Each structure stands twice: as C-alpha cells, then as structure tokens.
Amino acid sequence: MFLSDRTTAPVFGRLRTFLAVSVVLIFDSGHAEELKTFEPIIAAGEYHSVVLENDRIRVLQVEIMPGETVPFHQHGMPSIFVTLEPASLLFRDMSGKAIRVVERSSFSELPQVEWRETPPAPRSVENVDTVSMRALRIELKK
C-alpha cells in the first residue's frame, strides 16, 4: 500500500487541511445516483480501495500500474481528485473511442488537485506510461 510509504508523508500533511475543508462542501445530492454495475469498487476493485468512508464522503485510493487497463467503471458522485504520482493515461468510452488523454508531462506541481464532476458514462483508463499512477479520489456523497 503506497499510503504507508515514507516518501508520501509530506504530501499528507498538506492533504489533511484540504480534506477537512472538503467535507464541509455543500453540493447537489442529486449527483449521488450510482450505476451499480459500474461502481468502481465492484467493476474495478483491483484498482480502487476504500481508505475512508462515512455518510458524507468516500475516499478511494487509486493505483494503476504501467501498461494496465482499468475496466469500465463510473464514479457516481462528484469528487476531488488528488494526483500523488502522475502517469500518462488514456481514457476510453464504451465504444473504445479515446475520449481523454492525460500526459505525465502536464503535471507541474504535486500533489495536483482537481474537481471532477460525475462522468456522463462509464469509461476505462489505460496507463500508457512506464510508471505507476497513484491518486486519491474524494467522492462527495451529499
């Protein structure tokens, strides 16, 4: 588990404050509807693990090794995505069409924090790099 690595310890000091602020966000609970078939823990559990869950948030640890493809899944809640270790990724829709490319070189500062809305449809993610991608996804339930 990469969360116990000493190399990531400085990152978590900054994340504690960020997480504390995140849990008090107010948002539309209508986005919390999930497609159970594509729920990340069920459809792509090898790549997602629950680090923390309560009635307001669910924090997922995400790790994709080089050359691996995460099966089709859909995050049913808006979230804060915290990239700890970037990699170049290729996102595909259900037809196999490339819908997003993320280049490792685009990360200028780590951790990188971004807001992610609930995606409109399930997608797969392929790590097309030679390094692992590691992140935390903080899903907002209500």
Side-chain angles (χ1 to χ4, degrees), residues 7-21 82-84 109-113:
T7 58
T8 59
V11 170
F12 289 101
R14 292 181 291 212
L15 284 178
R16 268 186 252 139
T17 301
F18 180 75
L19 289 171
V21 172
V82 182
T83 301
L84 303 172
E109 186 177 314
L110 293 173
Q112 181 170 313
V113 180

Side-chain angles (χ1 to χ4, degrees), residues 1 6 24 50 67 72 75 81 89 94 101 106 114 121 126:
M1 286 182 53
R6 289 184 186 164
V24 297
V50 177
F72 287 101
H75 295 274
F81 195 84
L89 305 173
M94 295 288 283
V101 175
S106 69
E114 62 185 292
E126 180 182 358

Side-chain angles (χ1 to χ4, degrees), residues 10-64:
V11 170
F12 289 101
R14 292 181 291 212
L15 284 178
R16 268 186 252 139
T17 301
F18 180 75
L19 289 171
V21 172
S22 299
V23 297
V24 297
L25 290 175
I26 298 171
F27 54 93
D28 181 5
S29 61
H31 291 287
E33 294 299 318
E34 296 181 88
L35 295 173
K36 299 298 181 197
T37 306
F38 294 107
E39 213 296 313
I41 298 300
I42 296 168
E46 182 179 341
Y47 303 94
H48 298 85
S49 59
V50 177
V51 177
L52 170 73
E53 185 165 17
N54 60 35
D55 62 330
R56 300 185 76 167
I57 66 168
R58 179 172 73 171
V59 180
L60 298 176
Q61 176 177 299
V62 182
E63 183 170 11
I64 309 171

